[in-house]
Amino acid sequence: MSQTKEAFAKATALDTEIAVSTRNICKNYGAVEALKNLSLDFPRGQLTSLLGPSGCGKTTLLKIIAGLLEPTSGEVEVNGRLVTGPGPNRAFVFQDFALLPWASVMRNVAFGLELRGVAKSEREAIAERYIREVGLAGFEKSFPHELSGGMRQRVGLARALSVDAKVLLLDEPFSAVDEQTRRKFQEDMLNLVAHENKTFIFVTHSIEEAVFISDQIAILLPRPSRVSEIIRPTGFRNRDMGNIRRDPEYLDIVDQIWASLRSYVE
Amino acid sequence: MKIGNYQLPNMSSLLLWGLLWEIIGRSGMTFFVPPLSEVVMTLFSVIGTPAFIKALSETAYAFFAGVFFAIAIGVPIGVLMGKSRLIDELLLPWVNMFLSAPLTALVPVLMVLFGFGMKSIIITTTLFAIWIIILNTRAGVKQINRSLIEMARSFGATARDAFFKIYIWAALPEILNGVRIGVIRAVKGVIIGQLLISIVGFGALFELYSANFLMAHFWAVLIVLFAMAFAVSELLAYLERRVSYYASTR
Ligand SMILES: Nc1ncnc2c1ncn2[C@@H]1O[C@H](COP(=O)(O)OP(=O)(O)OP(=O)(O)O)[C@@H](O)[C@H]1O
Ligand SMILES: [Mg+2]
């Protein structure tokens, strides 16, 4: 009796640990099989990277979790609830930024809150804080076509952060920013993960970036894609950020991932 | 236009044509063309008369009401056609047919259906303007970046939010272009409607002038109409240029 109770307690504890879980996801676009039988759990409060060759279905998986796409079969649970569509517990950073070209940076960043019916003064105060946080202070009144690619990407990032969702879905959020800013953002991201109890699902093409910021890295195979490997860097997570890139475990994992991905590049 | 190295101001070619008109008018070739100076004098004398003001206000009323309905009905239909494959396939053949149909032939039918009054003229105006507005709105919606719609959905936009905050704005350059062409067609519609019904607005005036061979009056009113149509179309062209900055970056 006590044994089952214990097992039950353990199971529920495990349950709450998992913020997002995908089970046996298949997704076909007509004849194209983008995802096949993909199952993956995303622990709460951690950052999971999806790493894989271009066109392997990373964006597709992210959109299915966001509720923007219906999987052909399989299911997604967020906080134990089945996903049937978009919801306020998830925010998306789009690969192509998806900014309103006719709206200022301020309105773009506040747009998520606007759609949720937050009063103008309140949402602009929140937006202003995140505009500053992504380093765009002074550009509040600019329009997207007046910004560089990297700056636009940061507007999309600020918009997703400002709605304060528990799960953040980031589709190559740093792909257009310069290397210096990128490193700063990676460090900011580590701080964000450490201090806010949010779950991050992060798509990237950069092996180094994935190893640097992730608690868990899922390597996806090319189409039809499944998870081929899950890597959990642990050793250097609690170290000083400045030293991570010199850590032997960091370098080993980068090499190991490269070894398993290189066959698909050649 | 350029003469030698001297850049003449815009539309100075009109002066040349005005001069030609004056000469033909003075030569007395035909009673149909009085000299331009006489037309202009008549214009100023006619403009303040109660008959003219009544015609103008009736025409303006019919025109704006017609354009209002064309936009208020045309834009939502265009958006629906751009969004939904099914609605598009149902409606597109009709819209294309009406776009090129000789709508003037329909006016007598409208008169039978809606009477010899303002109502028929407004409906005629709407019918002239609406099809191009629908088609352009549809084209504008079809080219909207899918990401914008997904973005709005992911932040919980309702269908209403999406319509007023995404579709209308993302398709605005095309919509304005459609409205501009629609307005030019509406001017035709409102005049043709009035001419055929000819008991309201400028239709009544034209009837009066041509029956009495008052050609200077006739031309004066026509110039006023042209000028108004031109002004409205220029205003819309200006609005179109205001939004063109993002037409290329959507
Ligand atoms: N709307 C669509 N219709 C048809 N096929 C699609 C569609 N969207 C994606 N695909 C296909 O599904 C596969 C996965 O696409 P997806 O965008 O998810 O890849 P990705 O991993 O995000 O690639 P990248 O790293 O280049 O962004 C691709 O091969 C693509 O051709
Ligand atoms: Mg992608």
Side-chain angles (χ1 to χ4, degrees), chain B residues 47-121:
Chain B
I47 250 174
T49 62
F52 183 87
I53 291 176
K54 181 163 174 286
L56 184 66
S57 58
E58 279 174 352
T59 305
Y61 174 74
F63 172 79
F64 285 113
V67 168
F68 171 79
F69 286 121
I71 295 174
I73 301 169
V75 170
I77 291 182
V79 169
L80 281 179
M81 285 173 70
K83 275 170 71 168
S84 150
R85 197 69 192 273
L86 181 72
I87 296 177
D88 195 36
E89 277 175 14
L90 277 177
L91 297 184
L92 189 61
W94 290 100
V95 175
N96 274 325
M97 199 182 84
F98 275 108
L99 183 72
S100 45
L103 292 168
T104 316
L106 272 181
V107 178
V109 181
L110 292 175
M111 291 193 315
V112 172
L113 283 174
F114 300 104
F116 288 82
M118 205 46 128
K119 212 200 257 171
S120 292
I121 299 178

Side-chain angles (χ1 to χ4, degrees), chain A residues 49-95:
Chain A
S49 289
L50 304 174
L51 193 60
S54 186
C56 76
K58 304 181 291 295
T59 300
T60 303
L61 177 60
L62 224 52
K63 284 189 177 163
I64 288 173
I65 295 172
L68 292 171
L69 281 179
E70 284 245 357
T72 309
S73 66
E75 49 196 32
V76 178
E77 271 184 9
V78 175
N79 294 327
R81 291 240 184 89
L82 223 53
V83 166
T84 51
N89 54 2
R90 283 150 291 153
F92 205 107
V93 177
F94 289 83
Q95 192 169 5

Side-chain angles (χ1 to χ4, degrees), chain A residues 63 67-68 86-87 90-92 94 96 98-102 111-112 114-116 143 145 159-160 163, chain B residues 145 147-158 161-162 165-167 169-171 245-246 249-250:
Chain A
K63 284 189 177 163
L68 292 171
R90 283 150 291 153
F92 205 107
F94 289 83
D96 58 356
L99 304 182
L100 308 175
W102 55 87
F111 192 67
E114 183 182 332
L115 288 177
R116 283 173 198 188
F143 284 82
H145 68 105
R159 177 178 59 199
V163 295
Chain B
N145 185 350
S147 270
L148 280 189
I149 291 155
E150 285 187 335
M151 183 275 289
R153 279 222 300 143
S154 81
F155 287 110
T158 58
D161 283 337
K165 296 185 172 179
I166 307 285
Y167 285 103
W169 289 91
Y245 71 88
Y246 72 73
T249 57
R250 279 169 297 177

